[in-house]
Structures are given as C-alpha cells and as structure tokens.
Amino acid sequence: MTKTKPFSISKQVVWESYRRVKANQGTAGVDGQSIRDFEVNLKDNLYKIWNRMSSGCYFPPPVRTVDIPKSDGRSRRLGIPAVSDRVAQMVVKMYLEPTVEPMFHRDSYGYISGRSALDAVGTVRKRCWWYDWVIDLDIQGFFDTIDHRLMLHAVRKHTNSRWMLLYIERWLKAPAQLEDGSLIEREQGRPQEGVISPLLANIFLRHVFDEWMRVEHPSSLFARYADDAMVHCRSQTEAEQLLMAISNRLQECRLTMHPDKSRLADLHPEPLSHLHWLFRTQALLPVDAIRCEQQDHR
C-alpha cells in the first residue's frame, strides 16, 4: 500500500522547474554541483527534490556567497543557491506566481512577466510632461534588510498553502556560507539571486509601498522597478511632504531610504538619471547619449 504524501506536488512541475533552471544556467552552489553534474543522475536528483518537498522534509543547503568588487572600492556579496535548491525554489515560484501576479500594481514593472524596464521608462517619460518634480526613491540594501516576520505576513495574504509557507520560511532562514567555509545565520534579508527572491520582493513591496500609495496617496503617480521608484509631484512642497511620508512608511516596515541615492529633483534645470536613462520635462535620452552630447560641446 502506497503511503500518501502530506503535500501534493506535481512531478511534472518539478520537471518543468528543472527545465527553467537549466535555461537560466548559473554557476554551482555550496556543493560544487554544476547543472551538467546535476544531469548525470537527473532522474534520481529530481525524484529526491519531489519526494522531500512532498514529504515536508526538504531543507535548503546554505547559500554560497561570493564578494564581487565594485567600482567605488567596496564589494557586493552575491548569494548563489545550489542547483537542486534553485529547482526547488522554482517549484514554489511556479505554483505561487500565477496567483499573485494579477494583483500587482499596474505601475510595478520589475520581474513581472510582460513588463520591463523600458515599460517603466516609457511611463515615467510621459508623466514628466505633466509633472515638474519627482522623487527618485531607492531603498538602501533592500534584499539584505527585509524583515522575515513581515515578509511571511505579506506572503500569507496571498496563500494559505502550508508547504509553500514552510519552504519560504526555510529559504529566508537558510545560512550563508562564506568563501572560507564559515556559516552565517541569516536573521534578516534574502539573497537577491535566489529564484524565488524577486517574486517575494514584489509581494513585500506591494504591501509596503504600492498598496500604501494607492490608499494613502491615490492622486500621486509612481512607477516602481523592484526597489527603485519614481514618484511624480506638481510642486516642491508636495514632493517634500510626500518624501517624508514615504521615509516614515519605510521605517515602519523596517526599511531605510537610501540617503545618497534617494532625492527630490526639479526636472527644469537639469535632467535626472533613472534606470540608465536621463529625464527632462520634455526630453528623454539614454545616459550614454547625454555623455556624448556633453563631449560634443566641449
């Protein structure tokens, strides 16, 4: 007699998850296993993922971290999940994403199927004809500082699936493994490079920012791409008041507005750079085009 698994997860979804992970490629995680290595025993590896996830006993391995130097002399820490864990994350993403994407705000553009950075740029461009002032918003260390309790609270608004909530919580708490092999327990944040991370980020920011703006400031237009946003205002006074309100809202949700990258801008005197484009009240040019224009006039 076959024992029934506590969670019903389709083997076909596991297979499709593997196909998507393979298409995205990526490097090996803490176990050193590449996608090619994973495929040597593909059937057994996929069965293990399905069996453990269906049984409630799947535990993600630590996330391999790599420090990448930045141009300013600092470094950015990348988190690289194991191939098998990327497949497991994709399973949850395939179940959860179709139910939440239709709820995302029409002016949220990052990591959403059918939307792109160029769509965000096009929206901002049109609104720059109507509004002279903008708030250029950047959340400092967003993926590194997400509060786990608040994240799970947001996810529960969209699903009551025990197995999805179980594994999302385990992924949030999965430790990071440094290059020297030492482990760091994760009390907040989530690696940006995880398969499930962009979806979780959009769910979180839907409640932290998008819905808050819709309810509290319904006349203020914005375009958000992941943790960057442009909010349009008609005057400096309106922009200053709204900037303070947004800063307070982020603090309520355990987030911080970036002190250097976030700013108010009057688009009349000079253009504003956002998503690698420069905005004026009546013009839009790529950043590189502006640089070429400036060089031509020297």
Side-chain angles (χ1 to χ4, degrees):
M1 183 176 178
T2 303
K3 185 177 179 180
T4 304
K5 300 289 185 183
F7 301 129
S8 178
I9 299 173
S10 167
K11 290 181 180 178
Q12 185 60 41
V13 171
V14 176
W15 170 258
E16 178 60 25
S17 297
Y18 147 71
R19 291 181 65 252
R20 296 188 185 188
V21 168
K22 180 180 180 180
N24 292 334
Q25 290 300 306
T27 189
V30 292
D31 57 3
Q33 186 180 55
S34 66
I35 291 177
R36 180 173 295 182
D37 296 332
F38 184 83
E39 291 177 325
V40 171
N41 293 304
L42 180 60
K43 184 177 180 181
D44 289 343
N45 286 331
L46 293 180
Y47 177 80
K48 288 178 184 177
I49 294 171
W50 171 82
N51 185 50
R52 291 171 182 174
M53 293 189 76
S54 299
S55 302
C57 60
Y58 176 79
F59 288 87
V63 177
R64 176 188 165 211
T65 61
V66 178
D67 289 330
I68 305 297
K70 298 173 66 174
S71 58
D72 60 4
R74 295 182 298 173
S75 63
R76 179 191 171 199
R77 178 163 291 175
L78 300 182
I80 306 172
V83 173
S84 59
D85 194 46
R86 299 205 293 270
V87 174
Q89 290 186 38
M90 186 66 79
V91 170
V92 173
K93 181 182 177 183
M94 287 185 63
Y95 275 100
L96 182 59
E97 191 171 57
T99 67
V100 298
E101 272 203 349
M103 300 180 185
F104 289 150
H105 195 282
R106 66 180 182 276
D107 284 323
S108 175
Y109 296 93
Y111 312 115
I112 298 175
S113 57
R115 307 182 195 180
S116 68
L118 283 179
D119 293 326
V121 167
T123 296
V124 172
R125 178 189 180 223
K126 287 186 289 187
R127 291 171 180 170
C128 284
W129 285 75
W130 311 331
Y131 300 87
D132 292 339
W133 283 84
V134 296
I135 299 171
D136 185 11
L137 173 65
D138 183 276
I139 301 175
Q140 185 172 24
F142 171 68
F143 282 93
D144 296 328
T145 58
I146 295 173
D147 183 274
H148 290 173
R149 182 184 62 81
L150 293 179
M151 169 64 81
L152 289 169
H153 179 69
V155 174
R156 288 190 184 100
K157 292 179 178 292
H158 297 279
T159 181
N160 59 2
S161 168
R162 289 174 52 228
W163 68 270
M164 282 196 279
L165 292 170
L166 173 68
Y167 295 131
I168 288 172
E169 183 172 8
R170 288 179 183 175
W171 280 315
L172 290 174
K173 295 180 178 180
Q177 180 172 302
L178 304 183
E179 294 182 75
D180 63 4
S182 59
L183 296 179
I184 298 179
E185 296 300 321
R186 194 182 303 278
E187 297 181 356
Q188 63 181 13
R190 169 75 200 148
Q192 184 174 351
E193 296 74 26
V195 170
I196 196 73
S197 296
L199 178 61
L200 295 181
N202 272 330
I203 291 173
F204 192 59
L205 287 174
R206 175 182 187 266
H207 296 281
V208 170
F209 184 77
D210 301 353
E211 284 298 292
W212 176 80
M213 285 288 293
R214 184 184 66 82
V215 173
E216 299 294 333
H217 303 277
S219 62
S220 298
L221 301 179
F222 69 89
R224 180 176 65 79
Y225 190 91
D227 56 337
D228 295 307
M230 290 271 276
V231 185
H232 300 268
C233 302
R234 297 189 183 277
S235 67
Q236 181 177 355
T237 299
E238 178 188 352
E240 289 173 347
Q241 292 174 347
L242 185 52
L243 180 68
M244 182 61 67
I246 293 173
S247 177
N248 291 338
R249 171 61 177 172
L250 293 179
Q251 290 179 21
E252 290 174 0
C253 300
R254 310 271 180 98
L255 297 172
T256 304
M257 185 181 296
H258 199 292
D260 300 322
K261 296 181 180 179
S262 298
R263 56 176 175 149
L264 302 180
D266 180 355
L267 298 179
H268 275 296
E270 61 182 31
L272 172 68
S273 173
H274 185 70
L275 296 177
H276 304 294
W277 291 78
L278 288 182
F279 294 90
R280 298 184 177 122
T281 52
Q282 297 181 358
L284 169 67
L285 286 173
V287 171
D288 290 342
I290 294 288
R291 293 191 183 119
C292 292
E293 178 183 297
Q294 293 171 341
Q295 292 172 354
D296 289 343
H297 286 83
R298 288 176 183 171

